[in-house]
Structures are given as C-alpha cells and as structure tokens.
Amino acid sequence: LHDALPIFEVSAEVFARAISAFVMASSSAFLKESSAAVTFDEWVRAPEKLNTRLMAMHWMPATHFLFTEAGCRVTDFVGRQETFEADLRTALRRIGNNKILAHLDAHGLPHDNKAEQHARGSKSAQARLDPGKIAATLSNATRALLLERYSEDFVNFGYAGGG
C-alpha cells in the first residue's frame, strides 16, 4: 500500500483488549479522584461512568484504525498481540530489516505485562482489576454487548466469537 513507509497494526484479542483498556483506565494513574469504583460489567454497559483521564480511543473498535470511512484498508500488515514476535518477524522480513531480525534471533523479545502494573494498589483494586478474573467471570450479557460493540473487529481481525 505504502511504498515509502509501510504501515503495520497490531491487534489484540477483542475481549482481552477491552479488559486491558478497562484495567488501564481504572488504574490510579488514570482514574480521576472524584470517580467511584466501576466494575467491568458496569463499564461495558455505560463507559461514561468511568471517570478517567484515558482517552476513549483506547476502547474504540480497532477496525476504526484499520479502514477509512469508505472501507479502504490503510495498513500493509496486521499482526496479533498474541503472536507478536512471529508477526514482527514477518513484518521485518517484508521490509528487509535483517539487522533487527538478527537481534531478535540472538536476544528474543523482552516482555512486560503492563496490566499487572496497572492493577497494583489496594487489595480491593487488585481483585477488581485482575484481568484473568474479569475474563473468567464475564456474564453472558456483557459478552453479548462486547460481541455487538466489537463485531467488526471479530471479523476484520479473524478472532473467534464474531460474525
């Protein structure tokens, strides 16, 4: 698509992305002082209830960044967070960057789970903001709302659950 400057996008599994956005927006780093604690289910039903400094673009459907309003794709390659290192290697091969590929071969890719850092704080905040616990306890109603809100992402990024 773009000869001079290839454009790559990295997507995350839709439910995981929504949970991650909620955890980050609910963290003490972004939550405004006047905000009451909001559960993930409450946030999915009414995102405006979460009084956060984090911009709404963090929980917008990722398709918004992949296509123009006319439906034209604006990226050359879409990778997945779940297979990031393999997808990064594919992207680097496409642009011919053997130097970084050699570095990856020698050192691997460092990883730091920011969600765990955002969930630190009081024990109640840690329990409320635990991504694994949120994912394991998604209600059918919340799941249905997420399926509807992110329906295009499930299709455009090939994740199970949509369509």
PDB file of all heavy atoms in Angstrom, residues 4-38:
ATOM      1  N   ALA A   4       6.860   4.007   0.393  1.00  0.00           N
ATOM      2  CA  ALA A   4       7.917   4.691   1.132  1.00  0.00           C
ATOM      3  C   ALA A   4       7.918   4.346   2.614  1.00  0.00           C
ATOM      4  O   ALA A   4       8.969   4.290   3.234  1.00  0.00           O
ATOM      5  CB  ALA A   4       7.774   6.200   0.957  1.00  0.00           C
ATOM      6  N   LEU A   5       6.753   4.104   3.178  1.00  0.00           N
ATOM      7  CA  LEU A   5       6.662   3.890   4.624  1.00  0.00           C
ATOM      8  C   LEU A   5       5.590   2.847   4.918  1.00  0.00           C
ATOM      9  O   LEU A   5       4.407   3.158   4.968  1.00  0.00           O
ATOM     10  CB  LEU A   5       6.310   5.209   5.316  1.00  0.00           C
ATOM     11  CG  LEU A   5       6.248   5.201   6.834  1.00  0.00           C
ATOM     12  CD1 LEU A   5       7.602   4.865   7.446  1.00  0.00           C
ATOM     13  CD2 LEU A   5       5.776   6.546   7.344  1.00  0.00           C
ATOM     14  N   PRO A   6       5.986   1.596   5.093  1.00  0.00           N
ATOM     15  CA  PRO A   6       4.995   0.566   5.394  1.00  0.00           C
ATOM     16  C   PRO A   6       4.283   0.856   6.719  1.00  0.00           C
ATOM     17  O   PRO A   6       4.892   1.339   7.663  1.00  0.00           O
ATOM     18  CB  PRO A   6       5.809  -0.719   5.511  1.00  0.00           C
ATOM     19  CG  PRO A   6       7.138  -0.405   4.943  1.00  0.00           C
ATOM     20  CD  PRO A   6       7.341   1.069   5.045  1.00  0.00           C
ATOM     21  N   ILE A   7       3.009   0.549   6.766  1.00  0.00           N
ATOM     22  CA  ILE A   7       2.216   0.777   7.972  1.00  0.00           C
ATOM     23  C   ILE A   7       1.765  -0.575   8.513  1.00  0.00           C
ATOM     24  O   ILE A   7       1.166  -1.370   7.798  1.00  0.00           O
ATOM     25  CB  ILE A   7       1.001   1.670   7.670  1.00  0.00           C
ATOM     26  CG1 ILE A   7       1.476   3.039   7.177  1.00  0.00           C
ATOM     27  CG2 ILE A   7       0.123   1.809   8.911  1.00  0.00           C
ATOM     28  CD1 ILE A   7       0.352   3.956   6.748  1.00  0.00           C
ATOM     29  N   PHE A   8       2.069  -0.817   9.783  1.00  0.00           N
ATOM     30  CA  PHE A   8       1.725  -2.062  10.441  1.00  0.00           C
ATOM     31  C   PHE A   8       0.784  -1.759  11.601  1.00  0.00           C
ATOM     32  O   PHE A   8       0.914  -0.732  12.253  1.00  0.00           O
ATOM     33  CB  PHE A   8       2.977  -2.760  10.981  1.00  0.00           C
ATOM     34  CG  PHE A   8       4.019  -3.005   9.928  1.00  0.00           C
ATOM     35  CD1 PHE A   8       5.117  -2.178   9.809  1.00  0.00           C
ATOM     36  CD2 PHE A   8       3.883  -4.064   9.053  1.00  0.00           C
ATOM     37  CE1 PHE A   8       6.071  -2.400   8.844  1.00  0.00           C
ATOM     38  CE2 PHE A   8       4.833  -4.297   8.077  1.00  0.00           C
ATOM     39  CZ  PHE A   8       5.925  -3.463   7.974  1.00  0.00           C
ATOM     40  N   GLU A   9      -0.120  -2.659  11.859  1.00  0.00           N
ATOM     41  CA  GLU A   9      -1.009  -2.541  13.022  1.00  0.00           C
ATOM     42  C   GLU A   9      -0.931  -3.844  13.794  1.00  0.00           C
ATOM     43  O   GLU A   9      -0.798  -4.911  13.211  1.00  0.00           O
ATOM     44  CB  GLU A   9      -2.454  -2.292  12.586  1.00  0.00           C
ATOM     45  CG  GLU A   9      -3.371  -2.206  13.779  1.00  0.00           C
ATOM     46  CD  GLU A   9      -4.744  -1.663  13.459  1.00  0.00           C
ATOM     47  OE1 GLU A   9      -4.887  -0.858  12.537  1.00  0.00           O
ATOM     48  OE2 GLU A   9      -5.683  -2.062  14.164  1.00  0.00           O
ATOM     49  N   VAL A  10      -1.012  -3.725  15.097  1.00  0.00           N
ATOM     50  CA  VAL A  10      -1.042  -4.912  15.948  1.00  0.00           C
ATOM     51  C   VAL A  10      -2.372  -4.899  16.690  1.00  0.00           C
ATOM     52  O   VAL A  10      -2.744  -3.911  17.311  1.00  0.00           O
ATOM     53  CB  VAL A  10       0.130  -4.926  16.951  1.00  0.00           C
ATOM     54  CG1 VAL A  10       0.028  -6.129  17.863  1.00  0.00           C
ATOM     55  CG2 VAL A  10       1.452  -4.922  16.197  1.00  0.00           C
ATOM     56  N   SER A  11      -3.073  -5.990  16.575  1.00  0.00           N
ATOM     57  CA  SER A  11      -4.381  -6.154  17.195  1.00  0.00           C
ATOM     58  C   SER A  11      -4.256  -7.076  18.394  1.00  0.00           C
ATOM     59  O   SER A  11      -3.341  -7.875  18.478  1.00  0.00           O
ATOM     60  CB  SER A  11      -5.309  -6.749  16.129  1.00  0.00           C
ATOM     61  OG  SER A  11      -6.275  -7.567  16.680  1.00  0.00           O
ATOM     62  N   ALA A  12      -5.203  -6.969  19.310  1.00  0.00           N
ATOM     63  CA  ALA A  12      -5.275  -7.903  20.442  1.00  0.00           C
ATOM     64  C   ALA A  12      -6.635  -8.579  20.403  1.00  0.00           C
ATOM     65  O   ALA A  12      -7.608  -8.013  19.905  1.00  0.00           O
ATOM     66  CB  ALA A  12      -5.112  -7.154  21.760  1.00  0.00           C
ATOM     67  N   GLU A  13      -6.696  -9.793  20.948  1.00  0.00           N
ATOM     68  CA  GLU A  13      -7.976 -10.497  21.021  1.00  0.00           C
ATOM     69  C   GLU A  13      -8.992  -9.547  21.638  1.00  0.00           C
ATOM     70  O   GLU A  13      -8.696  -8.831  22.588  1.00  0.00           O
ATOM     71  CB  GLU A  13      -7.813 -11.768  21.861  1.00  0.00           C
ATOM     72  CG  GLU A  13      -8.990 -12.715  21.811  1.00  0.00           C
ATOM     73  CD  GLU A  13     -10.104 -12.325  22.748  1.00  0.00           C
ATOM     74  OE1 GLU A  13      -9.834 -11.784  23.832  1.00  0.00           O
ATOM     75  OE2 GLU A  13     -11.267 -12.571  22.381  1.00  0.00           O
ATOM     76  N   VAL A  14     -10.182  -9.516  21.090  1.00  0.00           N
ATOM     77  CA  VAL A  14     -11.146  -8.465  21.380  1.00  0.00           C
ATOM     78  C   VAL A  14     -11.525  -8.385  22.860  1.00  0.00           C
ATOM     79  O   VAL A  14     -11.510  -7.300  23.453  1.00  0.00           O
ATOM     80  CB  VAL A  14     -12.389  -8.611  20.485  1.00  0.00           C
ATOM     81  CG1 VAL A  14     -13.381  -7.495  20.746  1.00  0.00           C
ATOM     82  CG2 VAL A  14     -11.972  -8.633  19.014  1.00  0.00           C
ATOM     83  N   PHE A  15     -11.864  -9.501  23.486  1.00  0.00           N
ATOM     84  CA  PHE A  15     -12.228  -9.459  24.904  1.00  0.00           C
ATOM     85  C   PHE A  15     -11.022  -9.025  25.738  1.00  0.00           C
ATOM     86  O   PHE A  15     -11.145  -8.206  26.655  1.00  0.00           O
ATOM     87  CB  PHE A  15     -12.735 -10.821  25.391  1.00  0.00           C
ATOM     88  CG  PHE A  15     -14.054 -11.219  24.789  1.00  0.00           C
ATOM     89  CD1 PHE A  15     -14.187 -12.431  24.141  1.00  0.00           C
ATOM     90  CD2 PHE A  15     -15.168 -10.403  24.865  1.00  0.00           C
ATOM     91  CE1 PHE A  15     -15.396 -12.821  23.587  1.00  0.00           C
ATOM     92  CE2 PHE A  15     -16.389 -10.775  24.315  1.00  0.00           C
ATOM     93  CZ  PHE A  15     -16.498 -11.992  23.672  1.00  0.00           C
ATOM     94  N   ALA A  16      -9.842  -9.548  25.430  1.00  0.00           N
ATOM     95  CA  ALA A  16      -8.625  -9.187  26.168  1.00  0.00           C
ATOM     96  C   ALA A  16      -8.321  -7.698  26.020  1.00  0.00           C
ATOM     97  O   ALA A  16      -7.905  -7.042  26.980  1.00  0.00           O
ATOM     98  CB  ALA A  16      -7.447 -10.020  25.690  1.00  0.00           C
ATOM     99  N   ARG A  17      -8.534  -7.159  24.817  1.00  0.00           N
ATOM    100  CA  ARG A  17      -8.276  -5.736  24.574  1.00  0.00           C
ATOM    101  C   ARG A  17      -9.229  -4.875  25.402  1.00  0.00           C
ATOM    102  O   ARG A  17      -8.820  -3.888  26.012  1.00  0.00           O
ATOM    103  CB  ARG A  17      -8.413  -5.424  23.091  1.00  0.00           C
ATOM    104  CG  ARG A  17      -8.111  -3.991  22.774  1.00  0.00           C
ATOM    105  CD  ARG A  17      -8.059  -3.765  21.257  1.00  0.00           C
ATOM    106  NE  ARG A  17      -7.981  -2.357  21.014  1.00  0.00           N
ATOM    107  CZ  ARG A  17      -9.042  -1.594  20.700  1.00  0.00           C
ATOM    108  NH1 ARG A  17     -10.225  -2.129  20.559  1.00  0.00           N
ATOM    109  NH2 ARG A  17      -8.891  -0.309  20.523  1.00  0.00           N
ATOM    110  N   ALA A  18     -10.501  -5.242  25.431  1.00  0.00           N
ATOM    111  CA  ALA A  18     -11.474  -4.470  26.207  1.00  0.00           C
ATOM    112  C   ALA A  18     -11.131  -4.519  27.695  1.00  0.00           C
ATOM    113  O   ALA A  18     -11.170  -3.494  28.386  1.00  0.00           O
ATOM    114  CB  ALA A  18     -12.884  -4.994  25.958  1.00  0.00           C
ATOM    115  N   ILE A  19     -10.775  -5.694  28.184  1.00  0.00           N
ATOM    116  CA  ILE A  19     -10.414  -5.839  29.598  1.00  0.00           C
ATOM    117  C   ILE A  19      -9.165  -5.023  29.903  1.00  0.00           C
ATOM    118  O   ILE A  19      -9.095  -4.318  30.913  1.00  0.00           O
ATOM    119  CB  ILE A  19     -10.235  -7.327  29.958  1.00  0.00           C
ATOM    120  CG1 ILE A  19     -11.593  -8.045  29.912  1.00  0.00           C
ATOM    121  CG2 ILE A  19      -9.573  -7.479  31.334  1.00  0.00           C
ATOM    122  CD1 ILE A  19     -11.505  -9.560  29.954  1.00  0.00           C
ATOM    123  N   SER A  20      -8.178  -5.083  29.030  1.00  0.00           N
ATOM    124  CA  SER A  20      -6.945  -4.328  29.228  1.00  0.00           C
ATOM    125  C   SER A  20      -7.219  -2.820  29.266  1.00  0.00           C
ATOM    126  O   SER A  20      -6.676  -2.104  30.110  1.00  0.00           O
ATOM    127  CB  SER A  20      -5.950  -4.664  28.115  1.00  0.00           C
ATOM    128  OG  SER A  20      -4.785  -3.900  28.246  1.00  0.00           O
ATOM    129  N   ALA A  21      -8.062  -2.337  28.359  1.00  0.00           N
ATOM    130  CA  ALA A  21      -8.401  -0.908  28.341  1.00  0.00           C
ATOM    131  C   ALA A  21      -9.086  -0.505  29.639  1.00  0.00           C
ATOM    132  O   ALA A  21      -8.789   0.543  30.214  1.00  0.00           O
ATOM    133  CB  ALA A  21      -9.294  -0.595  27.139  1.00  0.00           C
ATOM    134  N   PHE A  22     -10.000  -1.355  30.117  1.00  0.00           N
ATOM    135  CA  PHE A  22     -10.703  -1.069  31.373  1.00  0.00           C
ATOM    136  C   PHE A  22      -9.728  -1.034  32.547  1.00  0.00           C
ATOM    137  O   PHE A  22      -9.771  -0.115  33.380  1.00  0.00           O
ATOM    138  CB  PHE A  22     -11.796  -2.115  31.615  1.00  0.00           C
ATOM    139  CG  PHE A  22     -12.375  -2.041  33.001  1.00  0.00           C
ATOM    140  CD1 PHE A  22     -13.263  -1.032  33.343  1.00  0.00           C
ATOM    141  CD2 PHE A  22     -12.019  -2.970  33.963  1.00  0.00           C
ATOM    142  CE1 PHE A  22     -13.787  -0.953  34.634  1.00  0.00           C
ATOM    143  CE2 PHE A  22     -12.535  -2.904  35.254  1.00  0.00           C
ATOM    144  CZ  PHE A  22     -13.417  -1.891  35.582  1.00  0.00           C
ATOM    145  N   VAL A  23      -8.858  -2.017  32.632  1.00  0.00           N
ATOM    146  CA  VAL A  23      -7.895  -2.082  33.743  1.00  0.00           C
ATOM    147  C   VAL A  23      -7.001  -0.851  33.738  1.00  0.00           C
ATOM    148  O   VAL A  23      -6.773  -0.221  34.779  1.00  0.00           O
ATOM    149  CB  VAL A  23      -7.070  -3.392  33.681  1.00  0.00           C
ATOM    150  CG1 VAL A  23      -5.898  -3.348  34.651  1.00  0.00           C
ATOM    151  CG2 VAL A  23      -7.957  -4.594  33.967  1.00  0.00           C
ATOM    152  N   MET A  24      -6.513  -0.475  32.552  1.00  0.00           N
ATOM    153  CA  MET A  24      -5.647   0.693  32.467  1.00  0.00           C
ATOM    154  C   MET A  24      -6.419   1.969  32.838  1.00  0.00           C
ATOM    155  O   MET A  24      -5.938   2.786  33.621  1.00  0.00           O
ATOM    156  CB  MET A  24      -5.064   0.811  31.055  1.00  0.00           C
ATOM    157  CG  MET A  24      -3.967   1.835  30.941  1.00  0.00           C
ATOM    158  SD  MET A  24      -3.013   1.590  29.443  1.00  0.00           S
ATOM    159  CE  MET A  24      -3.632   2.916  28.463  1.00  0.00           C
ATOM    160  N   ALA A  25      -7.634   2.129  32.288  1.00  0.00           N
ATOM    161  CA  ALA A  25      -8.429   3.324  32.561  1.00  0.00           C
ATOM    162  C   ALA A  25      -8.820   3.418  34.035  1.00  0.00           C
ATOM    163  O   ALA A  25      -9.007   4.512  34.568  1.00  0.00           O
ATOM    164  CB  ALA A  25      -9.675   3.329  31.682  1.00  0.00           C
ATOM    165  N   SER A  26      -8.940   2.263  34.712  1.00  0.00           N
ATOM    166  CA  SER A  26      -9.345   2.221  36.121  1.00  0.00           C
ATOM    167  C   SER A  26      -8.180   2.340  37.080  1.00  0.00           C
ATOM    168  O   SER A  26      -8.384   2.398  38.299  1.00  0.00           O
ATOM    169  CB  SER A  26     -10.076   0.905  36.407  1.00  0.00           C
ATOM    170  OG  SER A  26     -11.234   0.816  35.628  1.00  0.00           O
ATOM    171  N   SER A  27      -6.974   2.350  36.558  1.00  0.00           N
ATOM    172  CA  SER A  27      -5.804   2.394  37.435  1.00  0.00           C
ATOM    173  C   SER A  27      -5.658   3.769  38.073  1.00  0.00           C
ATOM    174  O   SER A  27      -6.172   4.768  37.575  1.00  0.00           O
ATOM    175  CB  SER A  27      -4.543   2.058  36.647  1.00  0.00           C
ATOM    176  OG  SER A  27      -4.200   3.133  35.791  1.00  0.00           O
ATOM    177  N   SER A  28      -4.948   3.816  39.161  1.00  0.00           N
ATOM    178  CA  SER A  28      -4.748   5.083  39.865  1.00  0.00           C
ATOM    179  C   SER A  28      -4.012   6.099  39.003  1.00  0.00           C
ATOM    180  O   SER A  28      -4.158   7.296  39.196  1.00  0.00           O
ATOM    181  CB  SER A  28      -3.996   4.845  41.180  1.00  0.00           C
ATOM    182  OG  SER A  28      -2.738   4.252  40.909  1.00  0.00           O
ATOM    183  N   ALA A  29      -3.275   5.628  38.015  1.00  0.00           N
ATOM    184  CA  ALA A  29      -2.555   6.542  37.127  1.00  0.00           C
ATOM    185  C   ALA A  29      -3.504   7.346  36.242  1.00  0.00           C
ATOM    186  O   ALA A  29      -3.178   8.458  35.833  1.00  0.00           O
ATOM    187  CB  ALA A  29      -1.576   5.764  36.253  1.00  0.00           C
ATOM    188  N   PHE A  30      -4.684   6.807  35.946  1.00  0.00           N
ATOM    189  CA  PHE A  30      -5.598   7.473  35.026  1.00  0.00           C
ATOM    190  C   PHE A  30      -6.947   7.834  35.640  1.00  0.00           C
ATOM    191  O   PHE A  30      -7.671   8.660  35.101  1.00  0.00           O
ATOM    192  CB  PHE A  30      -5.842   6.591  33.787  1.00  0.00           C
ATOM    193  CG  PHE A  30      -4.619   6.426  32.950  1.00  0.00           C
ATOM    194  CD1 PHE A  30      -3.888   5.250  32.997  1.00  0.00           C
ATOM    195  CD2 PHE A  30      -4.171   7.443  32.124  1.00  0.00           C
ATOM    196  CE1 PHE A  30      -2.748   5.093  32.229  1.00  0.00           C
ATOM    197  CE2 PHE A  30      -3.033   7.303  31.368  1.00  0.00           C
ATOM    198  CZ  PHE A  30      -2.315   6.119  31.413  1.00  0.00           C
ATOM    199  N   LEU A  31      -7.327   7.209  36.733  1.00  0.00           N
ATOM    200  CA  LEU A  31      -8.633   7.447  37.325  1.00  0.00           C
ATOM    201  C   LEU A  31      -8.652   8.815  38.000  1.00  0.00           C
ATOM    202  O   LEU A  31      -7.742   9.161  38.738  1.00  0.00           O
ATOM    203  CB  LEU A  31      -8.923   6.354  38.360  1.00  0.00           C
ATOM    204  CG  LEU A  31     -10.375   6.084  38.692  1.00  0.00           C
ATOM    205  CD1 LEU A  31     -11.158   5.697  37.441  1.00  0.00           C
ATOM    206  CD2 LEU A  31     -10.469   4.982  39.724  1.00  0.00           C
ATOM    207  N   LYS A  32      -9.674   9.591  37.726  1.00  0.00           N
ATOM    208  CA  LYS A  32      -9.806  10.895  38.365  1.00  0.00           C
ATOM    209  C   LYS A  32     -10.237  10.698  39.812  1.00  0.00           C
ATOM    210  O   LYS A  32     -10.935   9.743  40.145  1.00  0.00           O
ATOM    211  CB  LYS A  32     -10.816  11.748  37.603  1.00  0.00           C
ATOM    212  CG  LYS A  32     -10.320  12.115  36.208  1.00  0.00           C
ATOM    213  CD  LYS A  32     -11.305  12.998  35.486  1.00  0.00           C
ATOM    214  CE  LYS A  32     -10.786  13.328  34.099  1.00  0.00           C
ATOM    215  NZ  LYS A  32     -11.756  14.126  33.339  1.00  0.00           N
ATOM    216  N   GLU A  33      -9.810  11.610  40.670  1.00  0.00           N
ATOM    217  CA  GLU A  33     -10.043  11.466  42.106  1.00  0.00           C
ATOM    218  C   GLU A  33     -11.519  11.359  42.467  1.00  0.00           C
ATOM    219  O   GLU A  33     -11.881  10.684  43.421  1.00  0.00           O
ATOM    220  CB  GLU A  33      -9.404  12.640  42.851  1.00  0.00           C
ATOM    221  CG  GLU A  33      -7.896  12.585  42.824  1.00  0.00           C
ATOM    222  CD  GLU A  33      -7.250  13.779  43.496  1.00  0.00           C
ATOM    223  OE1 GLU A  33      -7.933  14.440  44.298  1.00  0.00           O
ATOM    224  OE2 GLU A  33      -6.078  14.040  43.221  1.00  0.00           O
ATOM    225  N   SER A  34     -12.384  11.995  41.708  1.00  0.00           N
ATOM    226  CA  SER A  34     -13.808  12.012  42.045  1.00  0.00           C
ATOM    227  C   SER A  34     -14.557  10.776  41.538  1.00  0.00           C
ATOM    228  O   SER A  34     -15.761  10.680  41.714  1.00  0.00           O
ATOM    229  CB  SER A  34     -14.456  13.264  41.438  1.00  0.00           C
ATOM    230  OG  SER A  34     -14.332  13.228  40.023  1.00  0.00           O
ATOM    231  N   SER A  35     -13.849   9.837  40.962  1.00  0.00           N
ATOM    232  CA  SER A  35     -14.505   8.677  40.364  1.00  0.00           C
ATOM    233  C   SER A  35     -14.775   7.584  41.389  1.00  0.00           C
ATOM    234  O   SER A  35     -13.917   7.234  42.180  1.00  0.00           O
ATOM    235  CB  SER A  35     -13.645   8.112  39.236  1.00  0.00           C
ATOM    236  OG  SER A  35     -14.328   7.078  38.578  1.00  0.00           O
ATOM    237  N   ALA A  36     -15.981   7.039  41.331  1.00  0.00           N
ATOM    238  CA  ALA A  36     -16.323   5.880  42.153  1.00  0.00           C
ATOM    239  C   ALA A  36     -15.849   4.625  41.432  1.00  0.00           C
ATOM    240  O   ALA A  36     -15.673   4.627  40.215  1.00  0.00           O
ATOM    241  CB  ALA A  36     -17.832   5.831  42.365  1.00  0.00           C
ATOM    242  N   ALA A  37     -15.655   3.553  42.179  1.00  0.00           N
ATOM    243  CA  ALA A  37     -15.241   2.289  41.584  1.00  0.00           C
ATOM    244  C   ALA A  37     -16.353   1.784  40.659  1.00  0.00           C
ATOM    245  O   ALA A  37     -17.524   1.796  41.009  1.00  0.00           O
ATOM    246  CB  ALA A  37     -14.950   1.261  42.663  1.00  0.00           C
ATOM    247  N   VAL A  38     -15.950   1.371  39.471  1.00  0.00           N
ATOM    248  CA  VAL A  38     -16.877   0.858  38.466  1.00  0.00           C
ATOM    249  C   VAL A  38     -16.398  -0.542  38.097  1.00  0.00           C
ATOM    250  O   VAL A  38     -15.206  -0.754  37.886  1.00  0.00           O
ATOM    251  CB  VAL A  38     -16.880   1.775  37.216  1.00  0.00           C
ATOM    252  CG1 VAL A  38     -17.718   1.180  36.108  1.00  0.00           C
ATOM    253  CG2 VAL A  38     -17.363   3.168  37.581  1.00  0.00           C
TER     254      VAL A  38
END
